[in-house]
Amino acid sequence: MSRAAKAVRDRTFRGIPKLPIFFHTLAGGESRAAMFRYLRTVLRDFFWLQFSVKFGFRKIPILDVDHPLDKLVPFTPDKVGTYLDFVAFWIRPVGYIRERFGPEAERQTLVNLLNLLDRSYSDAAAVYRYRMTTTKRPKYYRGSFLTIHLFDPHYLCVPSLHVIVVVLAYTFYRKTFRELGMDADEADALNRELFEGAIAITETILFIKQHSVNCIPAALYAISRITPEEVTPSEVILFTERLFAETEDVTTDSAVKIRAHISELYEKLLLEGCHDESWITPLHRWLNAYSLEGFVH
């Protein structure tokens, strides 16, 4: 291995600049088309879908999905930076792959990942169009929270796209590193960084009160049906067991209760999904049952 390649290998994803990746994407016909499809889906199925309801252009029932366990996680505003890192989280490894394996590997990785992200947003929207979901957010508008409140009406909680995206990212790159023939030690270190990052971002959706504990198992179920070969039940168990396992902000007893709820709801959705024609049906059914508590709008 060349000295330059070794320097890249020994660096974590944090040192990878994101802006060049955007220009590399636009420079390639296939990757540019994949990026535009994805951005169109985000605009249609995330931003416009919410704001069209917020401003009364369409009517979709909005269900409050708060859970008593949410109170066991304290509102922690200083974790907002980790929460907002979820887009850069899946972008940075693309730059690493370019420097390590070249522009063709970067292009193919981008196309494959963007196609999966596009499907994830589109599939999640099939749930949102049936029932929108929200939680009670603190009236806290300092710093980045003002931007979050302005651009996110907070109607798309179940399933959590934050969780879908970070779990998709770490499992996708694990498979990609393997296919690229990356050295085992190098891949292990990078996979560990991605896994820990996905855990941290998932925890922040509760710390900054953007989601409920109900949103996590719904997301884990969704991504396990979108990429079933990578996000297996065993993978979900491993991921769930790490949530709040190493934080002093949530007590051990509280963490156990939260993980148990996530596991139970995920298992319920997964088992029901085995018998339904559409994997989305169990989520619709769960939302119907939860609606007995009453709609907020």
Side-chain angles (χ1 to χ4, degrees):
M1 182 184 298
S2 68
R3 180 176 298 179
K6 187 177 186 301
V8 173
R9 186 196 69 181
D10 293 340
R11 188 170 61 187
T12 70
F13 297 125
R14 287 289 173 181
I16 301 296
K18 299 181 287 297
L19 191 58
I21 299 171
F22 176 75
F23 291 112
H24 297 159
T25 304
L26 295 181
E30 190 178 5
S31 58
R32 182 171 61 247
M35 175 62 81
F36 286 152
R37 281 195 302 272
Y38 166 63
L39 292 177
R40 180 185 61 192
T41 300
V42 171
L43 289 173
R44 181 191 65 207
D45 291 342
F46 183 82
F47 289 106
W48 171 244
L49 182 58
Q50 291 188 87
F51 280 104
S52 66
V53 172
K54 180 178 177 65
F55 295 125
F57 298 124
R58 70 171 74 189
K59 299 292 184 181
I60 300 176
I62 306 172
L63 175 65
D64 190 328
V65 292
D66 281 307
H67 190 280
L69 289 174
D70 298 335
K71 297 177 181 179
L72 301 180
V73 181
F75 177 55
T76 314
D78 62 4
K79 293 185 182 291
V80 70
T82 301
Y83 172 84
L84 292 173
D85 191 55
F86 91 109
V87 174
F89 177 77
W90 63 260
I91 292 177
R92 284 189 294 261
V94 177
Y96 187 98
I97 287 173
R98 180 185 179 90
E99 296 184 33
R100 184 72 173 79
F101 296 98
E104 178 58 26
E106 176 195 41
R107 183 195 64 79
Q108 192 56 57
T109 298
L110 263 173
V111 170
N112 293 341
L113 180 57
L114 287 169
N115 287 339
L116 284 172
L117 286 168
D118 181 73
R119 180 187 167 187
S120 296
Y121 274 74
S122 180
D123 283 6
V127 181
Y128 306 147
R129 288 189 175 91
Y130 179 74
R131 291 284 188 276
M132 288 195 168
T133 44
T134 191
T135 62
K136 296 179 181 65
R137 293 193 291 190
K139 295 181 179 180
Y140 186 93
Y141 307 110
R142 300 178 187 174
S144 298
F145 284 90
L146 178 59
T147 302
I148 292 172
H149 282 257
L150 285 174
F151 290 97
D152 179 10
H154 195 50
Y155 293 163
L156 311 182
C157 287
V158 172
S160 165
L161 276 166
H162 252 70
V163 177
I164 289 175
V165 168
V166 297
V167 173
L168 169 63
Y170 92 78
T171 54
F172 169 84
Y173 283 115
R174 181 177 60 193
K175 177 183 178 182
T176 300
F177 297 155
R178 187 168 59 246
E179 292 173 344
L180 289 170
M182 184 180 287
D183 174 82
D185 290 340
E186 179 183 4
D188 287 346
L190 295 175
N191 286 332
R192 185 164 51 252
E193 179 181 343
L194 284 167
F195 179 79
E196 292 172 354
I199 292 293
I201 291 172
T202 297
E203 291 174 350
T204 64
I205 71 173
L206 298 184
F207 276 121
I208 71 165
K209 302 303 176 182
Q210 276 292 107
H211 283 280
S212 164
V213 294
N214 286 321
C215 308
I216 297 175
L220 293 173
Y221 168 67
I223 191 60
S224 72
R225 298 304 300 267
I226 294 170
T227 57
E229 293 183 358
E230 293 303 313
V231 187
T232 63
S234 296
E235 186 68 39
V236 170
I237 290 172
L238 178 65
F239 185 82
T240 302
E241 287 178 345
R242 295 296 301 154
L243 292 173
F244 301 104
E246 296 183 8
T247 176
E248 297 179 355
D249 299 306
V250 177
T251 68
T252 300
D253 181 62
S254 295
V256 169
K257 292 177 181 178
I258 291 169
R259 289 193 294 267
H261 176 76
I262 292 170
S263 296
E264 289 169 8
L265 182 50
Y266 165 75
E267 182 178 347
K268 171 183 170 63
L269 294 170
L270 183 66
L271 292 175
E272 290 185 7
C274 293
H275 303 287
D276 286 307
E277 184 175 345
S278 170
W279 70 264
I280 297 175
T281 302
L283 284 170
H284 288 179
R285 189 182 299 118
W286 180 82
L287 289 169
N288 286 339
Y290 220 78
S291 68
L292 296 176
E293 300 295 326
F295 292 111
V296 297
H297 294 289

